[in-house]
């Protein structure tokens, strides 16, 4: 249904942008993105600036893609150890269990990322309440994947993601890095969720975007594609004003650092 209206929506958006006389600032666009196509059709090449800002990491699940992926080789020993220790993957299948699964995700996420008293995304009350409501919506539409990896009854990893069309998307996780023996619970839960997705007929396991050269996702898959950031300007005046703004911000930051170091 959505694809049937893509061209119509694209034309409406183009007309609105032309009428507004404004440019666009977009980030993390796939090369086949409709928004990237919109920019190339609407703005001249001399009025656009683009660059790779992140990489999208993914695992093809068809044609034995999972079996051939790095994650299968990397997780084999850990998965075997997890099974020997009585580990199992639980996936939320009852709406009444959503609060328990979500709380396990938040607790494990804070345990992994909240060390040294560093605030995590789930410490933001607005973010927390938004996602508590969002998981209910995704559950009702059948698009939610909320899972916990237990070992001997103890939650050691959590997975929060969603499905769309023929892909599974990983969004957030939680990991108990202190669990002994070390079974690399983050790697194991990714593998087990991807394995279930492949068995259900999904074609791709999508890690979404991450840094270009320094991401743990690179260690789990050899498949990636660039994500593009683009600034598109309506005219030369807008382009030069933006360049002056960026230059002024850089100068202010440099002066601020110099002032701080002097004091």
């Amino acid at each position: 249904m959505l694809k049937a209206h893509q061209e119509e929506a694209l034309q409406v958006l183009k007309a609105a942008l032309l009428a507004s006389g404004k440019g666009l600032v977009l980030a993390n666009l796939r090369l086949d993105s409709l928004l990237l196509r919109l920019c190339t059709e609407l703005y001249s090449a001399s009025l656009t600036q683009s660059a790779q800002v992140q990489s999208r990491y993914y695992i093809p699940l068809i044609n034995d893609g999972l079996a051939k992926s790095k994650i299968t080789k990397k997780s084999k020993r850990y998965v075997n150890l997890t099974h020997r220790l009585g580990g199992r993957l639980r996936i939320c299948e009852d709406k009444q269990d959503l609060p328990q699964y979500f709380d396990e995700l938040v607790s494990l996420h804070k345990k992994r990322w909240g060390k040294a008293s560093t605030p995590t995304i789930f410490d933001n009350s607005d973010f927390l309440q938004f996602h508590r409501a969002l998981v209910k919506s995704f559950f009702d539409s059948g698009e939610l994947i909320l899972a916990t990896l237990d070992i001997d009854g103890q939650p050691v990893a959590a997975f929060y993601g969603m499905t769309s069309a023929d892909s599974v998307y990983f969004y957030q996780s939680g990991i108990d890095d202190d669990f002994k023996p070390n079974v690399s619970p983050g790697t194991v839960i990714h593998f087990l969720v991807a394995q279930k997705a492949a068995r259900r007929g999904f074609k791709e396991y999508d890690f979404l975007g991450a840094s270009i050269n320094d991401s743990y996702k690179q260690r789990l898959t050899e498949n990636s594609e660039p994500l593009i950031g683009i600034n598109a300007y309506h005219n030369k005046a807008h382009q030069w004003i933006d360049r002056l703004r960026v230059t002024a911000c850089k100068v202010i930051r440099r002066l601020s650092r110099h002032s701080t170091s002097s004091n």
Side-chain angles (χ1 to χ4, degrees), residues 240-253:
W240 278 107
I241 289 171
D242 189 61
R243 287 180 178 176
L244 288 172
R245 178 188 63 80
V246 171
T247 300
C249 288
K250 289 181 179 179
V251 170
I252 291 171
R253 284 197 297 269

Side-chain angles (χ1 to χ4, degrees), residues 5 64 69 82 96 115 124 140 143 165 179 214 217 250:
H5 297 284
D64 293 326
S69 183
T82 298
Q96 292 184 340
K115 296 179 179 179
N124 182 302
D140 290 339
E143 297 170 302
F179 179 81
D214 185 23
K217 298 173 183 179
K250 289 181 179 179

Side-chain angles (χ1 to χ4, degrees), residues 35-237:
L35 289 175
L36 187 57
R37 177 183 147 196
L38 172 71
C39 288
T40 59
E41 292 181 358
L42 199 58
Y43 304 97
S44 69
S46 63
L47 294 176
T48 59
Q49 300 170 335
S50 62
Q52 181 178 355
V53 292
Q54 285 192 328
S55 289
R56 179 182 80 93
Y57 298 94
Y58 64 95
I59 301 173
L61 299 179
I62 58 175
N63 300 323
D64 293 326
L66 179 60
K68 300 172 184 176
S69 183
K70 282 183 180 180
I71 193 171
T72 298
K73 300 172 186 175
K74 186 176 181 64
S75 66
K76 185 176 181 180
R77 178 170 64 89
Y78 295 122
V79 170
N80 290 337
L81 178 57
T82 298
H83 288 324
R84 289 200 301 272
L85 293 172
R88 70 185 184 103
L89 181 71
R90 288 187 286 115
I91 296 180
C92 186
E93 296 177 341
D94 189 325
K95 194 171 184 178
Q96 292 184 340
D97 295 331
L98 275 176
Q100 175 190 340
Y101 278 82
F102 192 80
D103 287 345
E104 288 170 346
L105 166 74
V106 172
S107 176
L108 286 165
H109 184 89
K110 289 183 177 182
K111 187 161 190 170
R112 171 63 180 86
W113 302 107
K115 296 179 179 179
S117 301
T118 303
T120 73
I121 54 174
F122 287 113
D123 286 312
N124 182 302
S125 60
D126 291 334
F127 182 93
L128 181 66
Q129 295 308 313
F130 172 77
H131 281 278
R132 283 195 184 278
L134 187 62
V135 295
K136 295 177 183 177
S137 177
F138 277 137
F139 185 92
D140 290 339
S141 64
E143 297 170 302
L144 177 69
I145 300 181
L146 194 57
T148 301
L149 175 65
D150 288 343
I151 295 182
D152 197 22
Q154 176 183 341
V156 296
F159 175 100
Y160 173 23
M162 58 286 299
T163 66
S164 179
D166 53 10
S167 296
V168 167
Y169 296 90
F170 161 62
Y171 178 61
Q172 288 293 341
S173 67
I175 302 167
D176 183 357
D177 284 339
D178 298 326
F179 179 81
K180 302 297 180 186
N182 178 21
V183 296
S184 189
T187 301
V188 171
I189 199 169
H190 275 300
F191 173 78
L192 294 178
V193 172
Q195 187 180 59
K196 281 191 173 291
R199 289 172 178 170
R200 289 177 56 190
F202 287 98
K203 295 181 179 179
E204 190 173 86
Y205 186 91
D206 195 329
F207 286 102
L208 299 181
S211 60
I212 299 172
N213 296 315
D214 185 23
S215 171
Y216 72 90
K217 298 173 183 179
Q218 289 175 301
R219 299 191 291 273
L220 301 180
T221 179
E222 55 273 62
N223 298 288
S224 66
E225 68 171 7
L227 293 176
I228 305 300
I230 188 166
N231 284 18
Y233 304 95
H234 184 66
N235 54 46
K236 281 285 186 183

Side-chain angles (χ1 to χ4, degrees), residues 20-36:
S20 71
K22 295 181 179 180
L24 282 176
V25 178
L26 300 167
N28 295 331
L29 300 179
R30 291 174 56 167
L31 295 176
D32 60 354
S33 165
L34 281 174
L35 289 175
L36 187 57

